[in-house]
Amino acid sequence: LPISAADGLELNEVRLWDITTGRTAKTLDRCHGFDFSPDSRQLAVLSRSKCVLYDLKDWNKEKQLPPLGESIAITFSADGQSLVGIVADGGKYRLRLANVESAQVAAQSLPLDQPFYSAATSPDGSLIATGHDGGNVIVWEAQSLEVRTRLQTAVRGIARPFFAPDARSLAAGCQETGDVVIWNLEDRQETARHTFEKGSFRTHYNRPATATLRPELDPVRFCFSPNGDSFLSGCYGGILRATTGGQELARFGD
């Protein structure tokens, strides 16, 4: 829940709910980012200056990862042995890979001029995709953080990447229109393009337009179903479409 008061005071929090009761299970004040480990046993949380791993069984603080302490966002690797953070570095922005066990830096990407907020890990653990303004997507080698390829949605706005469960396809959703483009990763060819008439989102911009960092511009609003046969776009409150053919399967209230 990213919140910023008019005077610049950060009031972010990470809140967890018990899905069986709907009640709040835990609130972590002044924290702005998080990710669950693949086995759901740990939670990595970002505060203003720290990256902390919690044991979800008893909420004991397990360890800190100093190399990711000032990350904009984080995500676990597919095997849960590493964390990838998007970090500001010398006025630029890069990916940084840190080993969970040793808390040491394993790799860093080349620096980029503009901030970005989303990093998706492929289910097979081989790739990481990041989304950028202007409809750009960069695909990185997960271990070395070297660029594998660059993809372009040709749709305005920030692109939000998300992998298919079989790791053979990568999709990106446009944060302005809800449109989704899908590529085959083997040959980098576009296999589908799904558009939504007047599918723009309602986004609350808590920070001024002059702010350099505005993570609320890139929330999680797209995903594949567990079997990959359909995908969800958050426009209109949520639309579920078939991955092949684009047939609308369900629509949720706005």
Side-chain angles (χ1 to χ4, degrees):
L1 299 175
I3 303 170
S4 182
D7 61 1
L9 178 64
E10 296 288 341
L11 301 173
N12 306 304
E13 66 178 30
V14 170
R15 186 180 300 176
L16 289 86
W17 287 269
D18 185 326
I19 61 172
T20 61
T21 65
R23 296 178 179 175
T24 300
K26 191 76 172 179
T27 299
L28 301 169
D29 295 326
R30 295 188 293 278
C31 296
H32 64 269
F34 69 93
D35 193 32
F36 289 98
S37 63
D39 61 10
S40 298
R41 295 180 179 179
Q42 293 179 306
L43 179 69
V45 179
L46 292 174
S47 64
R48 185 173 182 178
S49 61
K50 297 178 181 179
C51 176
V52 181
L53 283 175
Y54 290 93
D55 184 335
L56 288 174
K57 185 177 181 180
D58 55 16
W59 285 101
N60 285 331
K61 289 185 180 180
E62 292 197 343
K63 65 170 56 180
Q64 293 188 30
L65 275 71
L68 303 181
E70 296 183 357
S71 297
I72 299 169
I74 48 172
T75 184
F76 270 97
S77 61
D79 60 10
Q81 296 181 13
S82 302
L83 273 166
V84 179
I86 301 171
V87 299
D89 186 1
K92 296 190 176 185
Y93 305 87
R94 68 168 84 229
L95 292 176
R96 181 175 293 162
L97 179 69
N99 181 274
V100 169
E101 182 65 27
S102 67
Q104 299 297 311
V105 175
Q108 291 194 122
S109 74
L110 58 82
L112 302 176
D113 291 333
Q114 299 300 319
F116 57 102
Y117 310 104
S118 58
T121 304
S122 64
D124 65 358
S126 65
L127 301 172
I128 294 171
T130 56
H132 306 267
D133 202 4
N136 294 297
V137 175
I138 302 177
V139 182
W140 315 78
E141 298 286 350
Q143 296 301 314
S144 65
L145 296 184
E146 296 179 352
V147 175
R148 163 77 71 87
T149 189
R150 298 172 188 263
L151 301 168
Q152 170 57 244
T153 66
V155 180
R156 69 181 187 275
I158 295 175
R160 181 86 187 194
F162 56 110
F163 284 95
D166 61 7
R168 296 179 180 177
S169 298
L170 172 66
C174 175
Q175 291 286 20
E176 289 191 17
T177 65
D179 293 354
V180 171
V181 181
I182 303 175
W183 298 273
N184 182 313
L185 282 170
E186 184 176 358
D187 57 13
R188 296 179 292 177
Q189 295 300 304
E190 182 180 315
T191 59
R193 180 175 291 265
H194 303 274
T195 61
F196 299 87
E197 183 180 359
K198 298 180 181 178
S200 59
F201 298 105
R202 296 178 182 176
T203 302
H204 298 283
Y205 301 111
N206 298 304
R207 294 170 177 82
T210 54
T212 301
L213 294 175
R214 301 182 69 195
E216 62 271 20
L217 292 171
D218 193 20
V220 182
R221 295 195 273 211
F222 307 91
C223 66
F224 279 104
S225 62
N227 61 11
D229 290 345
S230 59
F231 69 90
L232 179 71
S233 175
C235 58
Y236 304 110
I239 293 179
L240 188 68
R241 277 191 176 180
T243 302
T244 302
Q247 178 186 359
E248 185 173 317
L249 304 176
R251 184 176 292 223
F252 307 96
D254 191 353

